[in-house]
Amino acid sequence: DTGVSQNPRHKITKRGQNVTFRCDPISEHNRLYWYRQTLGQGPEFLTYFQNEAQLEKSRLLSDRFSAERPKGSFSTLEIQRTEQGDSAMYLCASSLATSGSNEQFFGPGTRLTVL
Amino acid sequence: AQSVTQLGSHVSVSEGALVLLRCNYSSSVPPYLFWYVQYPNQGLQLLLKYTSAATLVKGINGFEAEFKKSETSFHLTKPSAHMSDAAEYFCAVSAINDMRFGAGTRLTVKP
């Protein structure tokens, strides 16, 4: 399968714990995005990378959130000291910078539940 | 700033009936517009996209959408609903560095 993959698919954690999610984009895509989606809402942009450079971060991305893409391939999103309000689906997407329309391909998401 | 508004958080149709999901956009530049579908506990799958090549865009699973600049709309239609069309549908506009999504419309198909 050459699509975007995310791991784990589900994560249940206790408040205050740290969690890390992984995203593997489509191999030739140089842009990678993270979104958060809460129940009944559309995805909200968190951050994006072009190659290994993190070029933009949303105000939604508090200082407890950090994302990396060390070699310009896979990316990780870490949430420190999780709170119940962090419960959501975290979606990763990738695209080609040369795609004029910025068409993005989405992974299946990681559903986080904070107890 | 670019944004989209989806009219109607929930649409219910009978199997075989016309599906119409509404989306209006706001953009200061010619927009790139998308419709995605999301099934429960899954990611988003692209249904179709508008990139200015043609105002009537055909997508997968029999869906199509028409770009109307005068109405700033990009409504999604399907002539005949199927039970498998039941899902959440999102309209989106491509911004400079990300994509802006509407709140979504949940489509229910009644037998």
Side-chain angles (χ1 to χ4, degrees), chain A residues 67-107:
Chain A
E68 294 182 344
R69 194 182 184 199
K71 297 182 180 179
S73 56
F74 73 91
S75 175
T76 58
L77 177 68
E78 180 183 18
I79 309 175
Q80 296 182 325
R81 306 180 303 280
T82 53
E83 302 172 356
Q84 287 186 325
D86 297 331
S87 295
M89 174 80 90
Y90 290 84
L91 294 165
C92 176
S94 69
S95 73
L96 276 171
T98 52
S99 164
S101 67
N102 194 25
E103 178 182 345
Q104 297 178 22
F105 296 80
F106 283 80

Side-chain angles (χ1 to χ4, degrees), chain A:
Chain A
D1 184 26
T2 57
V4 179
S5 62
Q6 292 186 246
N7 287 288
R9 294 291 309 277
H10 303 274
K11 179 69 176 179
I12 299 174
T13 191
K14 293 181 179 179
R15 189 174 50 188
Q17 298 294 305
N18 299 343
V19 294
T20 300
F21 311 140
R22 176 177 170 128
C23 171
D24 287 88
I26 293 171
S27 58
E28 62 267 29
H29 284 183
N30 49 5
R31 284 190 171 181
L32 186 148
Y33 306 80
W34 286 100
Y35 292 85
R36 180 171 67 188
Q37 184 181 22
T38 53
L39 203 61
Q41 298 297 318
E44 295 174 296
F45 169 76
L46 292 178
T47 188
Y48 99 97
F49 293 82
Q50 181 154 323
N51 301 312
E52 66 276 8
Q54 188 173 19
L55 297 185
E56 187 171 339
K57 294 192 289 186
S58 163
R59 289 172 298 174
L60 293 175
L61 209 67
S62 77
D63 56 6
R64 296 185 297 105
F65 287 69
S66 62
E68 294 182 344
R69 194 182 184 199
K71 297 182 180 179
S73 56
F74 73 91
S75 175
T76 58
L77 177 68
E78 180 183 18
I79 309 175
Q80 296 182 325
R81 306 180 303 280
T82 53
E83 302 172 356
Q84 287 186 325
D86 297 331
S87 295
M89 174 80 90
Y90 290 84
L91 294 165
C92 176
S94 69
S95 73
L96 276 171
T98 52
S99 164
S101 67
N102 194 25
E103 178 182 345
Q104 297 178 22
F105 296 80
F106 283 80
T110 295
R111 180 166 295 283
L112 172 66
T113 301
V114 182
L115 302 175

Side-chain angles (χ1 to χ4, degrees), chain B residues 36-82:
Chain B
Y36 285 88
V37 61
Q38 186 177 36
Y39 298 98
N41 294 313
Q42 295 188 24
L44 279 70
Q45 179 184 6
L46 181 68
L47 278 177
L48 50 81
K49 62 180 179 181
Y50 167 75
T51 58
S52 78
T55 57
L56 183 62
V57 182
K58 295 187 183 297
I60 63 172
N61 302 338
F63 284 94
E64 62 182 36
E66 186 172 9
F67 173 75
K68 292 186 176 180
K69 184 177 179 181
S70 61
E71 299 177 7
T72 61
S73 68
F74 189 57
H75 301 330
L76 181 71
T77 61
K78 182 174 180 177
S80 176
H82 192 272

